[in-house]
Amino acid sequence: MNTAQVDFYKKDILIVDNTPANLRVLSTMLTEQGYKVRKALNGEMALTACQALVPDVILLDIMMPEMDGYEVCQHLKADERTRKVPIIFISALDEALDKVKAFCAGGSDYITKPFQIEEVLVRVQNQLTIQSLHSKLIEQNEALKDINQNLENIVEEKTKQLIEQERAALLGRLTQGIVHNIKNPLQTILLSNDLINSQATTINEEEILELSKYIKIATLQIQKIMDNLLINNRRSQNLDLKLLNVNDIVQNEIQLLMSNLDFKHKIQKKYFYDNKIPSISLIYTHITQVFHNLINNAIDAMWNMSEKEVTIVTRQDETSIYIDVKDTGCGIAPDNISNLFDPFYTSKPAKGEEKEAGEPAGTGLGLYISRELLKIFRGEIAVTSEVGKGSVFTIILPKVAERKMG
Ligand SMILES: Nc1ncnc2c1ncn2[C@@H]1O[C@H](COP(=O)(O)OP(=O)(O)OP(=O)(O)O)[C@@H](O)[C@H]1O
Ligand SMILES: [Mg+2]
């Protein structure tokens, strides 16, 4: 006995025929093959038998008095419980039209009388095979659905974890940024205040005015950072994006930078503005902070150079707006260029650890934060540099309206 036979063993076949002789032949043959066989002499009996127990296959005669095979088939197909049972029509009719009618009624196969016993057996087995493959497919489909659901759950869980990690990292970066940006102006306030109140040094009124100006500027810087943080928090609302012109931003910032006396007196300044640059959506505090960081780096890079010159250029092409900050500073070795934007990468001593008077200190966060801030506008910073000659840092802002917000 092969596996196919094991599968079909004790399958329940219902034979419906109004000719008892036909019933007998078919029943004997199928019983001999190991099937469980039930018999019905008319449509009514067939439907009752199906209600009692749903068979695996029905052999259904077409020509029967009262209710013919087509009608029985329609009833069975209309009932949820029996609609999937394969029906093999058996008929003396051999017209193509009858076959079409049988298949249209929902029949699965068609056997013409007089039939060969082997043919009936093969057709019954075929239907059982199809049935069994069908239920296996359904089972596999269900299993696949489960696997899919599991995978979806895993992906969802992993995504949640990644978002959580990203959120924690962002919070860390933000905290570093706050500390970094507030430390310097705070130091300015404290030192200026100490100087004003110091009994030991004698400072004149003009110097007091100068120092109080520094305190004001430093306070404004802190205030800006605070605004900036609030903006970061409300970023997703788009409220703080404004149509701004980079020429105005650069000019305003340079005005503010004049409070830095080194910048005002010791550094040559050249400006080239393209006045046709269109306004684009920007967050004021973000873009000024980036510009500020680049100018401060330029000033730092020139601290012990004999020639100190900063050139600021605004320009555009079809897709982007550019702000170049060019200096005649120490320059950057090619090997170091790739590290500039790493958090805490600095060639400068930490505050309080300067070896020479006037040597600039640094924490190595300026460029990193600048690049993060520019990402909001899909902006970037490009660098070209030559050791001993100087560097050009370029802010690149795309003109496209699309912005990555939130
Ligand atoms: N214009 C420049 N010329 C030469 N080197 C530069 C210039 N700008 C940046 N660098 C180099 O890149 C490093 C990183 O710059 P970044 O602004 O991130 O940090 P920092 O200036 O060292 O410290 P911070 O900005 O946090 O006070 C600097 O330490 C410096 O070595
Ligand atoms: Mg810096």
Side-chain angles (χ1 to χ4, degrees):
M1 199 183 263
N2 63 31
T3 27
Q5 281 167 319
V6 170
D7 238 12
F8 299 149
Y9 188 65
K10 286 296 175 201
K11 290 285 181 184
D12 182 17
I13 318 282
L14 177 68
I15 311 168
V16 191
D17 199 320
N18 64 321
T19 317
N22 283 345
L23 273 184
R24 240 190 332 271
V25 174
L26 283 169
S27 164
T28 313
M29 171 189 82
L30 290 166
T31 312
E32 270 172 12
Q33 290 301 315
Y35 294 111
K36 181 181 156 199
V37 178
R38 288 185 290 153
K39 293 168 275 188
L41 272 166
N42 55 45
E44 204 64 52
M45 279 173 69
L47 294 179
T48 313
C50 286
Q51 288 305 318
L53 185 72
V54 179
D56 293 303
V57 174
I58 300 171
L59 288 171
L60 181 58
D61 189 20
I62 293 178
M63 301 286 280
M64 292 188 294
E66 287 154 37
M67 200 190 289
D68 67 14
Y70 299 129
E71 202 181 326
V72 177
C73 185
Q74 273 163 10
H75 280 292
L76 292 170
K77 293 296 164 189
D79 186 335
E80 190 57 44
R81 281 185 67 210
T82 50
R83 71 175 348 146
K84 289 203 178 111
V85 180
I87 294 171
I88 304 172
F89 281 108
I90 300 185
S91 175
L93 306 168
D94 195 16
E95 291 296 318
L97 193 66
D98 297 308
K99 290 187 182 167
V100 170
K101 214 173 153 190
F103 284 115
C104 280
S108 301
D109 206 350
Y110 192 100
I111 300 172
T112 316
K113 285 184 199 170
F115 46 74
Q116 299 284 315
I117 288 180
E118 287 77 12
E119 184 190 357
V120 175
L121 276 178
V122 168
R123 288 186 189 261
V124 167
Q125 284 192 358
N126 277 350
Q127 288 311 315
L128 289 168
T129 307
I130 293 169
Q131 275 294 84
S132 129
L133 288 177
H134 190 244
S135 20
K136 270 188 195 140
L137 260 183
I138 289 174
E139 260 172 44
Q140 279 170 359
N141 246 353
E142 287 305 314
L144 272 178
K145 265 190 211 156
D146 282 352
I147 291 172
N148 240 354
Q149 188 57 49
N150 275 345
L151 275 177
E152 272 171 25
N153 291 346
I154 291 169
V155 168
E156 198 178 321
E157 189 52 37
K158 279 273 164 236
T159 312
K160 268 191 203 152
Q161 281 175 11
L162 282 175
I163 290 173
E164 228 12 83
Q165 279 168 11
E166 184 57 26
R167 212 198 294 275
L170 205 73
L171 195 67
R173 291 204 296 265
L174 207 61
T175 314
Q176 287 163 8
I178 299 166
V179 172
H180 166 78
N181 283 286
I182 286 182
K183 226 166 71 180
N184 286 356
L186 214 55
Q187 196 76 4
T188 307
I189 295 171
L190 287 174
L191 283 176
S192 307
N193 191 53
D194 282 355
L195 271 174
I196 292 170
N197 291 318
S198 151
Q199 308 293 329
T201 53
T202 50
I203 51 171
N204 60 37
E205 205 148 305
E206 202 183 320
E207 285 167 325
I208 291 181
L209 276 179
E210 184 86 35
L211 287 170
S212 68
K213 212 163 92 189
Y214 292 158
I215 293 180
K216 172 126 192 242
I217 288 166
T219 315
L220 284 175
Q221 277 176 6
I222 294 177
Q223 196 176 11
K224 248 195 209 175
I225 293 161
M226 292 311 201
D227 288 348
N228 194 353
L229 289 173
L230 290 175
I231 284 162
N232 265 337
N233 280 342
R234 284 180 282 137
R235 220 193 273 171
S236 54
Q237 298 176 21
N238 272 11
L239 282 179
D240 306 287
L241 269 177
K242 290 203 177 82
L243 270 185
L244 297 171
N245 194 293
V246 293
N247 291 328
D248 298 339
I249 291 169
V250 169
Q251 280 159 14
N252 282 350
E253 275 309 295
I254 286 167
Q255 206 55 37
L256 267 175
L257 274 163
M258 288 302 177
S259 62
N260 175 332
L261 297 182
D262 274 356
F263 184 75
K264 188 173 179 184
H265 299 300
K266 295 190 183 153
I267 292 174
Q268 291 272 335
K269 293 161 287 285
K270 286 187 181 165
Y271 308 114
F272 299 95
Y273 299 118
D274 174 350
N275 289 318
K276 294 208 176 80
I277 285 179
S279 297
I280 52 169
S281 296
L282 293 169
I283 297 174
Y284 185 81
T285 44
H286 284 20
I287 195 72
T288 50
Q289 196 175 330
V290 174
F291 182 67
H292 218 90
N293 284 338
L294 296 192
I295 290 273
N296 279 334
N297 281 349
I299 298 171
D300 289 353
M302 299 187 291
W303 77 280
N304 57 359
M305 304 295 281
S306 51
E307 192 199 343
K308 297 173 197 259
E309 184 180 278
V310 165
T311 309
I312 292 158
V313 182
T314 62
R315 56 192 171 91
Q316 61 174 322
D317 61 17
E318 259 177 38
T319 56
S320 308
I321 290 169
Y322 305 85
I323 308 171
D324 300 313
V325 178
K326 182 173 185 283
D327 63 61
T328 54
C330 54
I332 304 155
D335 281 356
N336 292 337
I337 297 256
S338 58
N339 302 322
L340 298 182
F341 296 90
D342 293 347
F344 298 109
Y345 172 82
T346 183
S347 59
K348 300 167 193 171
K351 198 113 197 128
E353 288 172 5
E354 301 90 338
K355 293 196 181 64
E356 290 179 53
E359 185 179 8
T363 47
L365 283 169
L367 286 178
Y368 172 72
I369 289 168
S370 299
R371 200 174 58 176
E372 291 292 309
L373 290 175
L374 284 181
K375 277 183 192 166
I376 298 161
F377 320 109
R378 296 200 190 280
E380 296 165 53
I381 299 179
V383 190
T384 55
S385 187
E386 203 176 323
V387 176
K389 287 219 162 154
S391 317
V392 184
F393 280 75
T394 303
I395 301 173
I396 307 171
L397 298 164
K399 286 177 179 172
V400 283
E402 188 196 359
R403 300 275 175 256
K404 185 188 166 199
M405 299 303 299

